[in-house]
Amino acid sequence: MPVNAHPAEVGALAPDFELQDQHGAPVRLSQFRGGKVVLVFYPLAFTGICHGELSALRDHPLDAQVLTVSVDSVFTHRAWADQEGYGFPLLSDFWPHGQVARAYGVFDEAKGLALRGTFIIDGEGVIRWSVINPISSARDVADYVKALADIH
């Protein structure tokens, strides 16, 4: 897996960022301080595994703010969110291409997109749990539920 950085580590302060959501509104990670965040990187909208993962997030509400990130454009995210009824922010890491995925160490330089990285961030902005799967391997929302229950 040709990634250009080490993954953001559990126990470290989560790299802050600001990206546009599917409506073009700016969303900054630090605006969610005081609550838990599940930060989910995925390769591309409108693809099978990504659809399954984001639909599971839609259908199984978590005790946290869900933020999803891919290199797709705001316009692609809007069309996908409208089609699938995704109510959480779909954030565009389109330009500079993959900058936030790089900051978290989950950008695949050879393919130009993010791996399936998930980071659970506590109210202080510290990464408390993470998992990084290859592009071809789906994550299980049950793992997020368990990890969130362990974070106070």
Side-chain angles (χ1 to χ4, degrees):
M1 117 175 81
V3 179
N4 73 337
H6 296 290
E9 295 184 16
V10 171
L13 192 62
D16 197 16
F17 61 83
E18 183 176 295
L19 295 173
Q20 288 184 328
D21 70 9
Q22 66 266 35
H23 304 288
V27 175
R28 180 173 285 279
L29 176 62
S30 57
Q31 80 187 57
F32 299 102
R33 288 276 172 93
K36 300 175 205 171
V37 172
V38 178
L39 179 61
V40 179
F41 290 89
Y42 63 97
L44 293 169
F46 293 103
T47 58
I49 295 173
C50 296
H51 175 264
E53 289 183 323
L54 269 64
S55 293
L57 289 170
R58 176 198 62 210
D59 298 341
H60 298 92
L62 300 174
D63 181 27
Q65 172 64 54
V66 173
L67 300 175
T68 66
V69 180
S70 81
V71 297
D72 293 297
S73 72
V74 168
F75 308 105
T76 299
H77 283 158
R78 178 65 185 265
W80 201 33
D82 287 352
Q83 175 183 304
E84 299 299 330
Y86 298 143
F88 45 79
L90 278 66
L91 304 177
S92 177
D93 198 11
F94 183 76
W95 198 258
H97 191 74
Q99 177 178 346
V100 175
R102 280 185 184 92
Y104 281 81
V106 296
F107 189 73
D108 185 321
E109 293 288 345
K111 294 184 174 147
L113 42 78
L115 302 172
R116 296 184 188 285
T118 303
F119 301 86
I120 295 183
I121 302 162
D122 70 12
E124 301 299 316
V126 175
I127 299 169
R128 293 296 175 195
W129 182 87
S130 71
V131 64
I132 299 171
N133 287 4
I135 291 169
S136 61
S137 234
R139 295 160 285 194
D140 187 345
V141 74
D143 294 338
Y144 306 165
V145 172
K146 182 181 180 328
L148 283 165
D150 293 340
I151 299 170
H152 304 287

